[in-house]
Amino acid sequence: MSLRSTAKRWTYLLHRWLGIGGCLLMLLWFVSGMVMLFIGYPKLTPGERLGALPVLDGARVLQGLPVLPEAVQAEPESVALTTLRGEPAYVVRSGANIGAWSAVTGYALLPVSAQRAELSAAAFAGGPAFPGAVRVDEDRWTHSRGLDAHRPLYKVEVGGRQPGSLYVSSRTGEVVLDAPYHQQRWNYVGAWLHWLYFLRMQSVDPVWTWVVIVLSGLCTLAAISGIVVGVWRWRFRGRYRSGAKTPYVEPWMRWHHLVGLMASAFVFTWIFSGLMSMNPLQVFTTSAGAVDAARYRGATVSLASAVAQPQALLRAAAEQDFTPVEIQWRRIGGELFAVLLDGQGDTRIVSLMDGRLYLARQLPVAGLQQRAQAMSTAPLRTFAVVHAPDAFFYPRAPEAMNGAAVRRFPVAVVDFSDAHATRVYIDLATGDPLLTLGHRERVGRWLFYFLHSWDLPGMLRQENTRLAVLLLLSVAGAGLCTTAVVIGTRRLQMKVRRLRR
């Protein structure tokens, strides 16, 4: 047998047996993927969180940042004044640790009880919270590593406008995740099924990670071999004896061949991009830290000014008819300023100028450009302010996987002349670096986000058209996998009968 004949034979066998093994899995992926176009995995978006907070009361006597422990004062950008358990409180985040202090007394708040968790959940939901909060470390909706600092969590069932489960931090009493019942039900045939979360045991689960990578890799090989076999079997010139371009007369085989030729490119890119979403071997992660956040923040600042006093900040906001529900502090280039957020997510920056508090909608561009250079030891190549989405920085709908990411405009785009061609997007409303990209992250963006969900800004602006095309192609992919399930089942039945004889 020639080398060409041997290669052909093994290609046919590879497609046959990988198809039999993976056709049902790919069918589940297509069906669940269609659900995910409309119903996402449970998450708490910034809009949902801020919209549930009460307005901060400027008439109440509140302690300033100096009341907090010295270790906290050294990093004021990790402090936020919000409402916890019905009272104004400071929430302090430092790496994997999180804690809360009363803004009235200055004392550290005690760990949250089940009753306190129920009160927090009721305030968030705007409806009744049912007694019997359950303490959970992790369940099917709380695999996100962003919740690690809050574990264990209290799971509270609530009624109101949107009945469901709310997850409350045992460290601070904040609601950190909402999972409405209708979203949970759809997720069993959506994201939970799509990501094979019934195999995932914990937030960091290397066994689950590699199971998904291996299965996705095998299904990608099945798709590639299917494309090759489909092209080989198609008569581009002439016809078979039946008068058709395909050699298959049996209906299931015939439809598998025809639908496969029409939808094979989409099937391959969807399965392959799903594999890329797992970032196998961290191939889409820049190896070295490209941005130095400590240098960007600058030296330790004094908290003796009015910027560190929430009552002064609230008085300044009232003069501008701005009603904040949360105050966050930032430090850039060794200068302290406050960021006020209202219930709609709108922001104001408060800084001290000439002894007075001054409110602005965004940071001065010239000053930010000078301070952005401190992020990297490499020269700053370009600095620009962008007012519209580009191919890398764009908002997504809440149901999307990254739908909770802050994508505000205008945004500063900073490019450095380092080995990774690092680009940083800086939020002008807060000074936060929202997105950092090197060569590898750029490649990952195209191989996953674009191939999997067609998320170019131009396509996202035509959302209904994009969804309709994705649905149509997903139905074709599901149809192809359905024919493969039937063909594979028949093949296995035939093998079983032969073995019995």
Side-chain angles (χ1 to χ4, degrees):
M1 185 180 291
S2 66
L3 181 61
R4 181 179 179 182
S5 299
T6 302
K8 269 195 167 186
R9 179 174 181 273
W10 280 104
T11 303
Y12 280 113
L13 290 174
L14 182 70
H15 180 64
R16 175 185 297 169
W17 293 110
L18 284 181
I20 289 175
C23 58
L24 183 58
L25 177 60
M26 287 192 283
L27 175 60
L28 295 179
W29 276 337
F30 275 108
V31 173
S32 58
M34 287 187 278
V35 174
M36 289 178 67
L37 290 174
F38 305 96
I39 305 292
Y41 189 71
K43 64 176 73 69
L44 183 67
T45 65
E48 290 173 327
R49 187 183 70 83
L50 292 171
L53 291 174
V55 174
L56 292 171
D57 186 2
R60 192 163 187 178
V61 178
L62 302 176
Q63 303 287 339
L65 293 185
V67 76
L68 297 173
E70 290 185 5
V72 174
Q73 296 182 40
E75 294 187 357
E77 64 280 353
S78 63
V79 179
L81 175 65
T82 186
T83 302
L84 297 179
R85 317 174 196 183
E87 297 289 330
Y90 290 108
V91 175
V92 180
R93 293 172 173 84
S94 180
N97 300 315
I98 191 166
W101 279 259
S102 169
V104 177
T105 65
Y107 295 139
L109 297 179
L110 296 174
V112 179
S113 65
Q115 291 74 24
R116 284 286 189 180
E118 291 164 7
L119 290 174
S120 295
F124 180 94
F130 303 111
V134 179
R135 193 178 174 100
V136 298
D137 188 66
E138 188 171 347
D139 65 10
R140 62 178 64 88
W141 311 125
T142 56
H143 290 311
S144 171
R145 296 198 65 184
L147 300 175
D148 287 353
H150 300 279
R151 303 185 198 277
L153 307 169
Y154 283 103
K155 181 180 179 181
V156 184
E157 309 301 328
V158 297
R161 299 183 305 274
Q162 202 170 42
S165 304
L166 294 181
Y167 292 83
V168 180
S169 169
S170 64
R171 306 300 175 87
T172 65
E174 299 173 274
V175 173
V176 293
L177 180 71
D178 65 331
Y181 291 140
H182 76 91
Q183 190 177 36
Q184 293 184 40
R185 288 191 291 267
W186 278 108
N187 259 263
Y188 283 115
V189 291
W192 186 75
L193 178 63
H194 194 78
W195 295 333
L196 306 183
Y197 269 7
F198 50 86
L199 300 176
R200 190 172 183 176
M201 298 294 108
Q202 54 195 9
S203 58
V204 180
D205 191 338
V207 174
W208 167 81
T209 299
W210 279 104
V211 165
V212 176
I213 289 174
V214 170
L215 290 176
S216 300
L218 293 175
C219 289
T220 300
L221 286 177
I224 294 173
S225 60
I227 294 173
V228 174
V229 169
V231 172
W232 281 345
R233 299 294 283 165
W234 184 258
R235 282 282 174 88
F236 291 94
R237 294 181 181 179
R239 297 176 181 272
Y240 287 94
R241 289 182 180 180
S242 63
K245 292 283 189 178
T246 175
Y248 303 108
V249 178
E250 197 277 328
W252 286 107
M253 290 292 293
R254 184 185 183 89
W255 279 111
H256 184 70
H257 191 199
L258 295 175
V259 176
L261 288 173
M262 291 186 291
S264 58
F266 178 71
V267 171
F268 164 69
T269 55
W270 230 35
I271 300 300
F272 174 72
S273 57
L275 168 62
M276 295 299 100
S277 73
M278 300 302 295
N279 193 10
L281 300 176
Q282 302 298 302
V283 294
F284 302 132
T285 302
T286 301
S287 55
V291 175
D292 190 334
R295 288 183 54 190
Y296 175 61
R297 290 196 300 267
T300 303
V301 295
S302 170
L303 301 183
S305 69
V307 178
Q309 299 296 327
Q311 282 187 284
L313 297 173
L314 292 174
R315 283 195 298 268
E319 293 174 0
Q320 300 289 332
D321 294 325
F322 190 78
T323 54
V325 298
E326 187 169 277
I327 302 176
Q328 301 174 359
W329 281 266
R330 296 290 189 275
R331 173 171 51 114
I332 299 178
E335 293 186 14
L336 181 69
F337 61 94
V339 178
L340 312 183
L341 299 96
D342 68 8
Q344 288 72 47
D346 197 8
T347 61
R348 294 292 186 276
I349 291 173
V350 187
S351 54
L352 193 65
M353 296 179 62
D354 300 325
R356 294 185 57 190
L357 293 177
Y358 175 75
L359 268 72
R361 289 183 177 271
Q362 62 184 49
L363 292 168
V365 174
L368 185 61
Q369 179 175 356
Q370 182 179 4
R371 292 161 178 169
Q373 175 62 75
M375 287 186 176
S376 175
T377 55
L380 191 152
R381 184 162 55 86
T382 61
F383 182 97
V385 175
V386 175
H387 295 266
D390 63 15
F392 299 101
F393 189 87
Y394 49 89
R396 288 302 311 273
E399 62 269 12
M401 189 175 72
N402 54 345
V406 176
R407 295 292 183 261
R408 222 180 337 243
F409 295 94
V411 64
V413 183
V414 187
D415 288 309
F416 294 100
S417 298
D418 59 353
H420 303 292
T422 302
R423 169 176 289 185
V424 183
Y425 292 84
I426 303 177
D427 187 2
L428 291 179
T430 62
D432 295 338
L434 297 179
L435 180 65
T436 302
L437 298 167
H439 285 310
R440 296 184 183 182
E441 288 83 5
R442 288 182 177 89
V443 173
R445 179 265 183 275
W446 294 112
L447 293 184
F448 170 44
Y449 290 107
F450 173 65
L451 291 182
H452 212 65
S453 57
W454 295 12
D455 59 357
L456 279 178
M459 294 180 175
L460 291 171
R461 285 194 292 270
Q462 304 294 327
E463 182 67 1
N464 291 335
T465 303
R466 185 185 74 94
L467 288 175
V469 174
L470 281 174
L471 274 175
L472 181 63
L473 291 173
S474 298
V475 169
L480 176 65
C481 294
T482 300
T483 60
V485 169
V486 175
I487 294 168
T489 302
R490 288 180 174 179
R491 172 72 63 173
L492 289 176
Q493 288 173 343
M494 183 178 65
K495 288 287 184 183
V496 170
R497 285 196 296 268
R498 286 180 180 176
L499 289 173
R500 286 177 178 175
R501 293 197 192 106

